[in-house]
C-alpha cells in the first residue's frame, strides 16, 4: 500500500460520483463494511442489473460475497482480483479495488472526450471557411459537367446498342482466317516499327537541338559578359559635361535657397503690411467716430449759444432809448448777432462780391475776404477752434460783441447803406 494509491483511489471515487466521502484514514485499520459497500457500488456501476448477496455478517457470508465479486469481475470485465487482499479490508484491498475504479474512470474520461468532440463537430458544422472550399467547389462543378457529358454520350451509345449488337454477334460468329490475321499482325508490326523509327529520329533531333541550344546559350553568355564589361567602362568614365552640370546644380541650389528666403521675407512683409493697413483702418474709423461726436457736441453748443445770444439781443433792444441818435448810429452801436462759423463763411463770400461797390467799407470787405480764406483753410483742421471762438463770444457779452465783430460776419445795415448809395 502506498500513499499515492490511496490518493488516486479517493480522487477516482469522488470523480465517479460515490455518495460517501472516503478518507485515506479509513483504511489504516481493517474496515470490511466499507470495502463491501464500495464493492457493491462498483459492481452496480458496472452492471446495474447484477444481483449480489449483501449479507456480510458472518464469516461464510463474507467469503461468499468476495468470491461472487471476484467471479463477476473476471467474467464480465476481465479483471483478476486477489480475494485474500480484498478479505483483509485494509490498504492492500485498496490496490485491488483500484483496478476496478481505474477501468471505470478511464471509460468515463473517454466518454467525456467523445462527447466533447461530438459537440465540437456539431458546433463546427456551421463554422467553416468558405475560402478554403472554393477549390472544392470548382472541382465539384467540373465533375458535374463531366457527369452530364458522359451521361449524354452513354445515352447515345445505348441508343445505338441495337445495331451494334447485331454487328458484334456477326463478328463473333464469323470464323477467324489465319491469312487475314497474319496480314493484320504484319500491318500492326509495321506501324509499331515506323513509330519506333520516328521516336529514334526525334531523339536524335533532340540531341542536335540540345547542342544547338547549348551553343546559343554560350553565345548569349559571351554577349552578356561583353555588355557587362562595357557597362563597367561606361560607369567608370566621367562625362565631359559633368563638371559644368555639378556647378550649375550648386548655383541652382543657392538660387533656390535665396528664392526661399526672399519668398519667406515677402510673405512676412505682406503680413506686416496687412496688419498695418488694418490698424490704420481702425485708427481712421476711431478718428471718424470722434470727429462725428465732436461735430454733434459743437452743434449742440452752437444751438445753445444762438439761443443765449438771441435772448441777450432782445434784452439789449429793450434797454436802448428811442430818442438818442439816428437809426444808423443805433445800428452801428447794436452788437452783431453771433452766427455759426459756417454761416459766417457764407456771408463773407457774399460780401466779397458786393464789396467792390461799397465806398468806405473796403477794410471790412478785405477783412471779410481774409477771414473767408482763413476759414477755408481751417475747415480741414477741425471745428475745435470755431467752438472755442463761439464760447469766447458767448462769455464776452453783448458789449464786447459790438466792439469786435465776429469772424467772417458782415453787418446787414452796411449792406442796406450801400444799396441806398445807388
Amino acid at each position: 500500500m502506498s500513499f499515492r494509491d490511496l490518493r488516486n483511489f479517493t480522487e477516482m471515487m469522488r470523480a465517479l460520483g460515490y455518495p460517501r466521502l472516503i478518507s485515506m484514514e479509513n483504511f489504516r485499520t481493517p474496515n470490511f463494511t466499507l470495502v463491501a459497500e464500495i464493492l457493491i457500488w462498483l459492481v452496480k456501476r458496472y452492471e446495474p442489473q447484477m444481483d449480489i448477496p449483501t449479507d456480510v455478517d458472518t464469516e461464510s457470508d463474507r467469503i461468499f460475497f468476495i468470491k461472487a465479486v471476484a467471479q463477476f469481475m473476471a467474467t464480465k470485465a476481465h479483471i483478476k482480483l486477489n480475494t485474500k487482499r480484498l478479505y483483509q479490508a485494509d490498504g492492500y484491498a485498496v490496490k485491488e479495488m483500484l483496478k476496478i475504479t481505474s477501468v471505470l474512470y478511464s471509460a468515463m474520461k473517454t466518454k467525456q472526450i467523445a462527447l466533447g468532440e461530438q459537440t465540437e463537430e456539431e458546433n463546427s458544422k456551421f463554422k467553416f471557411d468558405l475560402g478554403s472550399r472554393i477549390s472544392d467547389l470548382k472541382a465539384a462543378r467540373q465533375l458535374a459537367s463531366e457527369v452530364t457529358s458522359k451521361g449524354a454520350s452513354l445515352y447515345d451509345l445505348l441508343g445505338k446498342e441495337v445495331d451494334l449488337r447485331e454487328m458484334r454477334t456477326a463478328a463473333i460468329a464469323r470464323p477467324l482466317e489465319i491469312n487475314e490475321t497474319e496480314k493484320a499482325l504484319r500491318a500492326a508490326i509495321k506501324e509499331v516499327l515506323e513509330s519506333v523509327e520516328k521516336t529514334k529520329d526525334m531523339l536524335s533531333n533532340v540531341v542536335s537541338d540540345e547542342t544547338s541550344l547549348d551553343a546559343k546559350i554560350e553565345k548569349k553568355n559571351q554577349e552578356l559578359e561583353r555588355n557587362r564589361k562595357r557597362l563597367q567602362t561606361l560607369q567608370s568614365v566621367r562625362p565631359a559635361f559633368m563638371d559644368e552640370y555639378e556647378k550649375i546644380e550648386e548655383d541652382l541650389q543657392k538660387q533656390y535657397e535665396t528664392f526661399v528666403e526672399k519668398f519667406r521675407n515677402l510673405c512676412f512683409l505682406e503680413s506686416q503690411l496687412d496688419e498695418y493697413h488694418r490698424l490704420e483702418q481702425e485708427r481712421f474709423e476711431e478718428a471718424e467716430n470722434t470727429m462725428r461726436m465732436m461735430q454733434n457736441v459743437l452743434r449742440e453748443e452752437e444751438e445753445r449759444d444762438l439761443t443765449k445770444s438771441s435772448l441777450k439781443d432782445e434784452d439789449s433792444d429793450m434797454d436802448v432809448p428811442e430818442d438818442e441818435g439816428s437809426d444808423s448810429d443805433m445800428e452801428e452801436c447794436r452788437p452783431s448777432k453771433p452766427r455759426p462759423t459756417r454761416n459766417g463763411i457764407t456771408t463773407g463770400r457774399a460780401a466779397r462780391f458786393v464789396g467792390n461797390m461799397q465806398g468806405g467799407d473796403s477794410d471790412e470787405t478785405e477783412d471779410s475776404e481774409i477771414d473767408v480764406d482763413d476759414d477755408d483753410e481751417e475747415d480741414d483742421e477741425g471745428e475745435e477752434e470755431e467752438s472755442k471762438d463761439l464760447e469766447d463770444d458767448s462769455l464776452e457779452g453783448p458789449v464786447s460783441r459790438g466792439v469786435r465783430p465776429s469772424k467772417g460776419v458782415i453787418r446787414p445795415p452796411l449792406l442796406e447803406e450801400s444799396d441806398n448809395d445807388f
Side-chain angles (χ1 to χ4, degrees):
M1 181 188 71
S2 63
F3 177 78
R4 185 176 62 183
D5 294 336
L6 287 171
R7 185 192 61 189
N8 292 334
F9 179 73
T10 54
E11 293 294 331
M12 286 180 183
M13 291 297 290
R14 190 180 295 113
L16 289 172
Y18 185 68
R20 180 180 172 181
L21 292 175
I22 300 172
S23 176
M24 288 184 290
E25 299 295 330
N26 295 130
F27 300 100
R28 297 294 181 186
T29 58
N31 191 356
F32 192 85
T33 56
L34 180 59
V35 171
E37 185 179 354
I38 292 170
L39 288 172
I40 292 168
W41 186 83
L42 290 174
V43 170
K44 292 292 183 181
R45 183 68 185 269
Y46 195 86
E47 186 66 34
Q49 288 81 19
M50 184 63 186
D51 292 331
I52 295 176
T54 59
D55 295 333
V56 291
D57 295 333
T58 62
E59 182 178 355
S60 60
D61 292 336
R62 292 177 183 177
I63 293 169
F64 183 73
F65 173 74
I66 295 297
K67 285 182 178 180
V69 171
Q71 187 178 1
F72 173 77
M73 287 296 165
T75 56
K76 297 292 184 181
H78 302 285
I79 298 172
K80 187 177 180 181
L81 298 175
N82 193 346
T83 56
K84 290 183 180 180
R85 290 183 178 179
L86 287 174
Y87 190 78
Q88 290 177 3
D90 54 0
Y92 293 102
V94 172
K95 277 189 176 182
E96 300 300 325
M97 290 187 294
L98 188 61
K99 297 177 182 179
I100 305 171
T101 55
S102 61
V103 172
L104 294 174
Y105 183 75
S106 62
M108 186 185 69
K109 294 295 287 183
T110 53
K111 186 178 179 181
Q112 289 179 356
I113 292 168
L115 290 173
E117 291 178 354
Q118 186 176 0
T119 54
E120 287 180 358
E121 288 177 359
E122 290 177 355
N123 293 328
S124 64
K125 283 181 180 179
F126 301 99
K127 294 179 181 179
F128 62 93
D129 189 7
L130 187 60
S132 62
R133 300 294 180 89
I134 291 174
S135 59
D136 297 337
L137 183 61
K138 291 180 180 178
R141 287 179 179 176
Q142 187 176 0
L143 289 174
S145 61
E146 289 179 359
V147 166
T148 53
S149 62
K150 294 290 184 181
S153 62
L154 182 62
Y155 179 78
D156 295 335
L157 292 174
L158 290 174
K160 297 176 182 179
E161 178 63 20
V162 178
D163 299 331
L164 293 175
R165 188 186 300 119
E166 295 178 357
M167 294 173 65
R168 185 172 60 253
T169 54
I172 292 170
R174 187 178 60 182
L176 293 175
E177 294 182 359
I178 298 172
N179 294 327
E180 291 181 357
T181 305
E182 290 179 353
K183 187 177 181 180
L185 290 173
R186 288 192 188 96
I189 291 167
K190 188 176 179 180
E191 289 179 358
V192 170
L193 291 174
E194 288 178 356
S195 64
V196 170
E197 291 294 331
K198 286 181 180 179
T199 51
K200 287 181 180 179
D201 294 335
M202 290 175 68
L203 289 172
S204 62
N205 291 329
V206 165
V207 173
S208 62
D209 292 338
E210 186 178 357
T211 55
S212 63
L213 288 173
D214 291 336
K216 288 181 180 179
I217 290 168
E218 186 67 25
K219 186 177 180 181
K220 293 293 183 183
N221 288 328
Q222 291 177 1
E223 289 180 358
L224 179 62
E225 189 67 26
R226 195 182 303 112
N227 289 326
R228 284 178 180 174
K229 291 180 180 179
R230 186 176 179 184
L231 178 62
Q232 290 177 0
T233 55
L234 290 173
Q235 288 178 352
S236 61
V237 174
R238 185 179 177 83
F241 58 86
M242 199 65 188
D243 296 333
E244 186 178 359
Y245 174 77
E246 290 178 354
K247 185 177 180 181
I248 292 171
E249 189 175 5
E250 290 177 358
D251 294 338
L252 180 62
Q253 185 68 25
K254 292 179 181 178
Q255 293 293 332
Y256 178 73
E257 291 176 358
T258 306
F259 168 73
V260 169
E261 185 177 358
K262 289 183 178 181
F263 183 76
R264 190 183 297 113
N265 294 333
L266 179 63
C267 292
F268 176 73
L269 291 175
E270 286 179 353
S271 64
Q272 293 293 323
L273 183 61
D274 293 337
E275 185 68 20
Y276 177 74
H277 286 321
R278 187 179 63 79
L279 294 174
E280 286 293 328
Q281 184 68 23
E282 292 178 357
R283 196 179 296 113
F284 179 71
E285 291 176 357
E286 186 177 358
E288 283 186 349
N289 293 328
T290 54
M291 186 67 71
R292 195 175 294 109
M293 292 172 65
M294 290 173 63
Q295 288 177 358
N296 293 329
V297 171
L298 290 174
R299 286 194 192 96
E300 293 176 357
E301 291 179 354
E302 287 176 358
E303 289 176 359
R304 287 199 302 271
D305 293 337
L306 287 173
T307 54
K308 290 178 181 180
S309 61
S310 61
L311 293 173
K312 290 179 181 180
D313 290 337
E314 290 176 359
D315 295 335
S316 62
D317 291 336
M318 291 173 66
D319 294 334
V320 173
E322 294 179 357
D323 295 334
E324 291 180 0
S326 61
D327 294 334
S328 62
D329 294 332
M330 291 173 67
E331 289 175 357
E332 288 177 358
C333 294
R334 183 181 299 170
S336 63
K337 295 180 181 180
R339 292 184 179 87
T341 308
R342 297 295 179 184
N343 295 329
I345 291 169
T346 54
T347 53
R349 288 177 183 174
R352 176 183 288 181
F353 290 107
V354 180
N356 292 327
M357 293 185 288
Q358 293 178 358
D361 295 334
S362 61
D363 294 332
E364 293 178 359
T365 57
E366 288 176 0
D367 293 333
S368 65
E369 289 176 0
I370 292 169
D371 293 334
V372 169
D373 294 334
D374 294 333
D375 291 332
D376 292 332
E377 291 176 358
E378 291 175 356
D379 285 337
D380 297 331
E381 294 177 357
E383 297 180 0
E384 295 179 358
E385 295 179 0
E386 295 175 359
S387 62
K388 292 178 181 180
D389 294 333
L390 291 172
E391 290 175 359
D392 295 333
D393 294 335
S394 63
L395 293 172
E396 284 175 358
V399 179
S400 62
R401 285 193 189 92
V403 177
R404 188 183 64 180
S406 64
K407 191 174 184 180
V409 178
I410 298 173
R411 296 184 183 88
L414 296 176
L415 294 175
E416 291 177 359
E417 290 177 0
S418 63
D419 291 335
N420 291 328
D421 293 334
F422 286 105

